[in-house]
Amino acid sequence: MLPGVPLGDNAVIGGGIVVTKNIPQGVIAVGNLCQVIHEITEADKDEYKRG
């Protein structure tokens, strides 16, 4: 991640990724250069909830 680039709360970033722009909260972002591929929904949270 480059200095000064904000990363939103609850964002999931793929490993080894170069983040060059703001990443909003609650998304999954991957690729070089980093791109948002999916917004994390309540259905996602329920499906993958650890209990």
Side-chain angles (χ1 to χ4, degrees):
M1 194 159 104
L2 296 176
V5 177
L7 182 60
D9 293 337
N10 299 318
V12 178
I13 306 298
I17 303 304
V18 177
V19 180
T20 60
K21 60 182 181 178
N22 300 352
I23 302 297
Q25 68 181 23
V27 297
I28 299 172
V30 298
N32 277 327
L33 300 168
C34 192
Q35 297 177 18
V36 173
I37 61 165
H38 182 73
E39 184 174 339
I40 300 171
T41 64
E42 288 301 318
D44 294 329
K45 292 177 186 177
D46 291 340
E47 184 173 343
Y48 296 103
K49 186 182 290 184
R50 293 184 184 190

